[in-house]
Amino acid sequence: MSWSSDDIYLFNQGTLFRAYENMGAHPAEGGGVQFSVWVPGAKSIRVAGSFNGWNSEEYYLEPLGRSGIWTLHVPSAKCGDQYKYFITTDEGETFAKADPYGFAAQLRPETASVVCSLAGYEWSDSKWIEDRAHSDSFKKPMNIYEIHLGSWRNPYTRVPGENEPVINFLPESAEGCEDKSPEDSTVFMNYRDIADQLVPYVCSMGYTHIELLPVAEHPFDGSWGYQVTGYYAPTARYGSPQDFMYLVDKCHSAGIGVIMDWVPGHFCRDAHGLGRFNGHKLYEKKDHKEWGTYIFDLGRPEVKSFLLSNAHYWLNMYHIDGIRVDGVSSMLYMNYGVNDPREKVFNKNGGEEDLDAIKFVQDFNNMVGKEFKGVFTVAEESTAWPLVTYPPSDGGLGFHYKWNMGWMNDTLRYFSVNFPWRGDNHNLLTFSMMYAFSENFILPFSHDEVVHGKCSLIGRMPGDYEQQFAGLKVLAMYQICHPGAKLSFMGNEFGQFIEWRYYEPLEWFLLDYDSHRVHHEFIKTLNRTFLDTPALWKDNFGWDGFRWIDADNHNQSILSFVRIDPDSEAIAVCFFNMSTIEFDNYSIGVPEYGIYREILSTAEVRFGGSGHTNDNEIKSSAKAMHGMDQSISIHVPPLSGMIFTLQKKLKRPAVKKTPARKKKDTK
């Protein structure tokens, strides 16, 4: 496409949302490729690649006025060619750069961009997109499976199938795999092969969404994708852009939403990337003190156009359903990671809030809401910044959801405490309800919680082997029952003991062992119970969907509450015993008089439990308790979680009144 004066104006104003339609390398209708790149202040720009033997003196780009945009049609270039821009500054320095808007890139360690057409893939998710535009994610169940595509599995991994315990799979597309050992961590599966295995697995497990660690091109495997060089290129580790489209399309055909991690706060310093793109600070504002990266200059209009267009690109070209913005706190605070008071800077009002970043985030969320109905955004914001999920018109940032890092930290800290001392830490569980509805929260047990010496989730559980698995089941049920959407990282579902390692697949072989296998089965059943019980998700973001039963039993380390479907008035009673003590005939108040049934217990034999469950229907009694007019009496196994639902309402028996005695007439 050719540049119009309006496009150039909007790009320089920071309000062009489709810059990718002109920027980058576009195969032309009559042959050849049209190249465009933004490099203000350059003396000259050349493009070279496999189409001309990498002769950097042949093709000189022409500037478009004073816009900073340079462009050229190269008749010999075609799809599949590798290329770079060779930039000469006024100071006489020349260096080679990958294309900031490149739609594809070479597989690391190579660093060139690749000419690529995004046409040719026939999507089959039109009904999904249409339904999404008319749906309300707040009124639907959300249980997210977070994955890192490179280590979920590799071609040699044994993964459970729907109807068989394990399978061996080696995709034909993994060229050269036969010559590598199973320990070779550089063997990756193609996006299509991943889709054909991942989607049935996610469906069978009862998850509603997957969240992908960043798939944009990045040079270092160990960054997990969070230090990007190719913002517009799905990483070549797993295949082509069309292969990635297949993965998203396959998810949609199975009713699975796709969330993508996005990193607009900072980028890596690799020489071929965005850093010092014209020999000076261009995309960057300053160094990131804590992460050793560059911080985007979000006040520069052309950088805003680059990033806003990038978000638009993933949503438009790849049909992504949600964008989770990484490191929002590092964007909002001007002195994030700055410890030396002498290095601190302040905004024009004397505060430490980054006003440019706030405006960028608001513009991003406004753009998504206007352009993509039904798509949602998520903030990984780890501080108490106010109004994260409130509209910009009300002074908020405009996100739909926020990760609840406070809940995550308090919950994992509590579950790490040994049993005798849990009573003294009971407030770690109850405090979350003091702010649970101040934002629209997602409850995350993410990749960040199973790395860097933090231990796996099961590794945090105290007690012996059986108690660790029991505790992990209680933790999972507590997350499912607590108000808020849910997220859990791969491997949590079968109790992987070692921390996550990005360079090797999950330890799926653990499913050959009973404890891991039955835990895996429990998570599948728990997820299905969640989907089948609207009271657990119909109102995740307000007090109409929650009521305490007993929040204060710290002496016995017991917690109980009710989840409510406001539409049908269906209820689920959620009960948790965090101690190793068993209780019989334990009474709790319930909100309705009627017949209750235990629909799921962590103590069931099929999940490796004791089998001391409540198998019979339970009729409430007229005994008032916990501020309610009726109660039920249940058996409470040690270290357990239980969910009860009201099966049938009954008419509460009338209270018999004792006739008043007549007084004797003493006259």
Side-chain angles (χ1 to χ4, degrees):
M1 297 178 66
S2 60
W3 284 93
S4 69
S5 58
D6 287 344
D7 288 338
I8 294 173
Y9 174 79
L10 293 174
F11 178 76
N12 290 142
Q13 291 296 307
T15 54
L16 184 61
F17 301 154
R18 294 174 175 264
Y20 57 88
E21 292 182 345
N22 289 315
M23 285 290 192
H26 291 268
E29 289 185 7
V33 174
Q34 187 76 28
F35 293 92
S36 293
V37 64
W38 175 63
V39 197
K43 183 177 181 181
S44 68
I45 312 288
R46 287 95 67 208
V47 63
S50 56
F51 50 82
N52 73 336
W54 291 95
N55 179 1
S56 62
E57 297 297 328
E58 183 175 3
Y59 292 115
Y60 281 75
L61 279 70
E62 298 292 333
L64 293 179
R66 298 182 179 180
S67 66
I69 301 169
W70 302 66
T71 187
L72 180 71
H73 178 261
V74 177
S76 61
K78 62 185 184 303
C79 283
D81 282 335
Q82 296 119 31
Y83 69 99
K84 280 188 178 181
Y85 295 114
F86 291 80
I87 300 167
T88 299
T89 67
D90 284 337
E91 295 81 11
E93 182 183 8
T94 298
F95 43 86
K97 290 286 188 179
D99 189 345
Y101 289 84
F103 298 150
Q106 285 184 295
L107 176 63
R108 56 96 178 95
E110 304 302 327
T111 58
S113 299
V114 178
V115 178
C116 173
S117 171
L118 297 181
Y121 183 83
E122 295 186 10
W123 289 88
S124 60
D125 65 348
S126 57
K127 186 176 187 308
W128 170 274
I129 299 298
E130 181 182 353
D131 291 345
R132 186 185 70 184
H134 298 95
S135 67
D136 182 355
S137 66
F138 297 115
K139 297 296 184 182
K140 300 178 71 175
M142 184 180 292
N143 188 8
I144 306 164
Y145 185 61
E146 186 193 32
I147 66 169
H148 175 255
L149 291 177
S151 57
W152 179 65
R153 58 166 301 185
N154 69 19
Y156 303 94
T157 308
R158 304 169 65 215
V159 180
E162 178 93 28
N163 301 311
E164 55 184 333
V166 293
I167 56 176
N168 283 310
F169 179 71
L170 183 63
E172 295 178 1
S173 60
E175 297 179 4
C177 286
E178 295 83 355
D179 300 325
K180 299 179 183 294
S181 68
E183 290 76 26
D184 189 341
S185 62
T186 63
V187 178
F188 295 116
M189 291 176 65
N190 182 273
Y191 289 114
R192 293 175 184 262
D193 300 322
I194 294 171
D196 291 341
Q197 295 296 308
L198 176 64
V199 173
Y201 175 75
V202 170
C203 288
S204 71
M205 289 298 296
Y207 295 105
T208 63
H209 296 71
I210 62 170
E211 180 171 321
L212 305 174
L213 272 63
V215 296
E217 193 57 77
H218 51 283
F220 177 48
D221 293 358
S223 78
W224 315 333
Y226 288 98
Q227 295 191 14
V228 182
T229 48
Y231 273 81
Y232 286 79
T235 177
R237 289 167 176 80
Y238 319 121
S240 69
Q242 284 76 13
D243 293 335
F244 182 60
M245 292 175 184
Y246 177 88
L247 170 59
V248 178
D249 202 14
K250 188 89 171 180
C251 286
H252 289 172
S253 67
I256 302 297
V258 181
I259 305 167
M260 175 183 150
D261 278 18
W262 186 53
V263 194
H266 68 115
F267 58 92
C268 63
R269 305 168 67 99
D270 292 58
H272 68 284
L274 298 175
R276 295 181 57 81
F277 202 81
N278 64 348
H280 307 279
K281 292 178 180 177
L282 186 61
Y283 285 90
E284 69 270 35
K285 178 170 60 176
K286 60 181 180 178
D287 295 348
H288 196 297
K289 292 291 185 180
E290 190 167 310
W291 297 336
T293 54
Y294 289 129
I295 296 173
F296 274 109
D297 186 352
L298 298 175
R300 188 157 196 160
E302 297 84 356
V303 174
K304 283 188 66 175
S305 286
F306 170 79
L307 288 171
L308 292 175
S309 293
N310 185 240
H312 193 287
Y313 167 82
W314 290 107
L315 297 174
N316 182 36
M317 303 306 297
Y318 292 98
H319 298 197
I320 298 297
D321 302 292
I323 290 181
R324 180 262 196 186
V325 182
D326 180 68
V328 172
S329 300
S330 74
M331 300 168 65
L332 298 176
Y333 295 96
M334 300 178 71
N335 297 308
Y336 185 92
V338 177
N339 297 316
D340 188 342
R342 296 169 297 180
E343 297 181 2
K344 290 193 173 184
V345 294
F346 302 91
N347 62 36
K348 62 183 181 181
N349 302 320
E352 296 189 47
E353 304 87 354
D354 191 319
L355 302 181
D356 290 332
I358 294 170
K359 184 65 166 59
F360 167 79
V361 166
Q362 292 173 329
D363 289 347
F364 157 72
N365 282 309
N366 280 332
M367 182 271 290
V368 172
K370 181 179 179 181
E371 298 280 319
F372 301 97
K373 301 300 181 185
V375 168
F376 57 85
T377 62
V378 183
E380 190 232 351
E381 204 290 301
S382 57
T383 72
W385 188 281
L387 307 181
V388 172
T389 58
Y390 287 69
S393 57
D394 294 338
L397 296 181
F399 288 97
H400 296 85
Y401 300 95
K402 173 182 175 177
W403 272 23
N404 194 336
M405 308 297 282
W407 174 88
M408 177 274 298
N409 280 304
D410 285 349
T411 299
L412 292 182
R413 182 181 166 193
Y414 177 87
F415 274 84
S416 300
V417 172
N418 212 333
F419 309 114
W421 294 279
R422 284 189 167 181
D424 295 333
N425 292 273
H426 195 75
N427 65 302
L428 291 173
L429 293 182
T430 58
F431 180 67
S432 63
M433 292 310 300
M434 298 293 290
Y435 61 89
F437 307 122
S438 61
E439 305 277 6
N440 302 321
F441 282 120
I442 292 176
L443 312 178
F445 291 143
S446 75
H447 63 279
D448 280 326
E449 312 322 317
V450 292
V451 290
H452 301 325
K454 297 178 183 177
C455 296
S456 62
L457 290 194
I458 193 168
R460 297 167 185 253
M461 302 295 117
D464 59 27
Y465 190 73
E466 291 184 0
Q467 289 173 330
Q468 285 184 294
F469 274 102
L472 190 62
K473 290 178 181 64
V474 176
L475 174 65
M477 182 179 281
Y478 174 66
Q479 180 196 33
I480 283 290
C481 293
H482 193 286
K486 331 295 176 186
L487 177 143
S488 191
F489 188 55
M490 62 183 196
N492 292 345
E493 75 269 27
F494 60 84
Q496 177 164 300
F497 269 99
I498 65 168
E499 291 186 340
W500 169 56
R501 300 169 179 173
Y502 70 87
Y503 50 84
E504 65 184 25
L506 298 178
E507 292 189 330
W508 294 100
F509 66 86
L510 291 173
L511 290 170
D512 291 337
Y513 298 90
D514 287 344
S515 295
H516 296 274
R517 179 179 52 78
V518 297
H519 184 78
H520 187 256
E521 187 63 29
F522 169 76
I523 296 298
K524 179 189 295 187
T525 306
L526 177 65
N527 290 347
R528 289 293 176 188
T529 301
F530 172 68
L531 294 178
D532 295 339
T533 312
L536 294 176
W537 51 263
K538 205 60 170 294
D539 188 351
N540 259 325
F541 309 101
W543 282 106
D544 288 343
F546 178 91
R547 179 178 177 180
W548 279 117
I549 296 176
D550 187 1
D552 302 321
N553 192 351
H554 61 90
N555 290 326
Q556 294 176 315
S557 296
I558 284 176
L559 194 71
S560 53
F561 51 81
V562 178
R563 297 302 312 279
I564 306 160
D565 174 1
D567 295 337
S568 68
E569 297 185 343
I571 63 174
V573 175
C574 307
F575 186 97
F576 303 94
N577 178 13
M578 314 294 187
S579 76
T580 56
I581 301 172
E582 191 165 6
F583 303 94
D584 201 11
N585 296 319
Y586 190 98
S587 295
I588 58 170
V590 288
E592 295 285 348
Y593 191 86
I595 304 295
Y596 290 79
R597 182 172 66 89
E598 183 180 83
I599 62 170
L600 188 63
S601 170
T602 62
E604 293 180 45
V605 172
R606 58 177 172 154
F607 306 134
S610 64
H612 295 165
T613 56
N614 297 276
D615 297 328
N616 300 320
E617 291 185 335
I618 305 169
K619 182 179 179 180
S620 59
S621 71
K623 179 183 177 183
M625 183 166 286
H626 298 129
M628 303 180 195
D629 292 336
Q630 53 280 319
S631 59
I632 58 175
S633 181
I634 60 176
H635 180 82
V636 180
L639 203 55
S640 63
M642 294 163 279
I643 302 174
F644 302 85
T645 57
L646 177 64
Q647 301 295 300
K648 182 180 180 181
K649 289 184 181 180
L650 299 176
K651 184 177 181 181
R652 194 170 187 275
V655 178
K656 293 182 179 181
K657 294 184 178 180
T658 304
R661 285 185 175 182
K662 291 184 178 180
K663 293 183 179 180
K664 288 184 179 181
D665 189 354
T666 57
K667 292 183 180 179

